[in-house]
């Protein structure tokens, strides 16, 4: 798939480019395309892609995939018993791992009093450097347009210390969900 490269930290394929309509894990039945571009849409599709391409045995992979496909909620709700009962987890930002979902709360409310939070995927960790990929909807409004043209994406680095708040006072770390455990 375009945008996926072999990582040198694990055998996990690293996503450096945004998904496209041809990437199966970013379409039904893996994700709902009604919220295409939102961080949780991206995290769910990317998590399914990581699990689907993992070396896990078939029964573990099936349980992990079904758990992920049934996950719902805002970005700050992805560190949940629903996921942590199936996958490894940590509430310590100092322990990122390739193939983890990093979950954040917002430190502010939006104009309607909501705190949706944010979730990203840890793609690679080397020393003190953490590479993450993330998605968002670039079109107007909280829910915006769900067309492929509205998918925002970045692949960028943070230090482990920056993982505490994604380098911004707007985010507060909640936890990691380790998909490859």
């Amino acid at each position: 798939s375009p945008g996926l490269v072999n990582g040198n930290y694990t055998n996990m394929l690293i996503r450096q480019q945004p998904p496209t309509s041809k990437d199966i894990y970013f379409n039904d039945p893996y994700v709902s395309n009604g919220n295409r571009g939102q961080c949780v849409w991206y995290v769910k599709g990317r998590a399914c892609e990581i699990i689907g391409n993992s070396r896990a045995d078939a029964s573990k992979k099936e349980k992990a995939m079904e758990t992920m496909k049934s996950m719902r909620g805002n970005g700050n709700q992805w560190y949940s018993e629903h996921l942590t009962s199936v996958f490894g987890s940590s509430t310590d930002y100092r322990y990122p791992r390739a193939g983890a979902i990093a979950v954040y709360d917002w430190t502010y409310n939006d104009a309607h009093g909501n705190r949706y939070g944010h979730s990203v995927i840890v793609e690679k960790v080397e020393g003190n450097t953490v590479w993450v990929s993330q998605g968002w909807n670039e079109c107007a409004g909280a829910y915006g347009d769900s067309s492929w043209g509205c998918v925002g994406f970045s692949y960028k680095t943070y230090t482990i210390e920056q993982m505490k708040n994604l380098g911004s006072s707007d985010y507060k770390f909640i936890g990691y969900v380790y998909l490859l455990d």
Side-chain angles (χ1 to χ4, degrees):
S1 178
L4 293 177
V5 298
N6 284 318
N8 57 11
Y9 183 74
T10 69
N11 289 322
M12 185 181 94
L13 294 174
I14 295 170
R15 179 167 283 284
Q16 297 177 321
Q17 300 293 323
T20 70
S21 61
K22 293 180 179 12
D23 290 310
I24 64 167
Y25 295 108
F26 292 90
N27 290 290
D28 287 328
Y30 300 98
V31 296
S32 165
N33 282 320
N35 66 346
R36 185 181 295 124
Q38 298 293 336
C39 70
V40 293
W41 168 86
Y42 176 78
V43 164
K44 182 184 268 191
R46 181 66 180 122
C48 287
E49 185 174 52
I50 290 167
I51 294 164
N53 289 310
S54 75
R55 295 183 180 168
D57 66 63
S59 63
K60 184 175 180 180
K61 193 182 284 194
E62 181 179 350
K63 180 177 181 174
M65 192 68 81
E66 289 306 313
T67 300
M68 189 54 57
K69 285 169 38 179
S70 68
M71 184 62 192
R72 304 283 184 269
N74 296 320
N76 60 357
Q77 297 170 317
W78 279 63
Y79 188 85
S80 67
E81 186 176 332
H82 182 72
L83 293 180
T84 60
S85 67
V86 174
F87 303 103
S89 62
S90 174
T91 57
D92 191 331
Y93 73 90
R94 296 174 297 172
Y95 298 105
R97 293 187 201 161
I101 300 170
V103 180
Y104 296 86
D105 198 7
W106 285 344
T107 58
Y108 62 91
N109 295 338
D110 72 4
H112 304 287
N114 299 308
R115 291 174 68 162
Y116 298 111
H118 190 55
S119 295
V120 304
I121 295 287
V122 176
E123 296 287 346
K124 182 168 89 168
V125 180
E126 284 184 350
N128 192 43
T129 304
V130 182
W131 285 258
V132 303
S133 66
Q134 58 189 323
W136 63 90
N137 188 307
E138 292 190 326
C139 295
Y143 297 99
D145 181 341
S146 61
S147 71
W148 280 97
C150 291
V151 173
F153 174 86
S154 75
Y155 174 74
K156 64 189 291 186
T157 62
Y158 294 97
T159 65
I160 288 177
E161 188 63 25
Q162 288 174 320
M163 291 301 289
K164 180 170 42 176
N165 61 8
L166 289 180
S168 166
S169 62
D170 292 343
Y171 299 101
K172 180 183 176 199
F173 181 78
I174 296 173
Y176 292 114
V177 177
Y178 300 125
L179 299 172
L180 296 174
D181 276 5

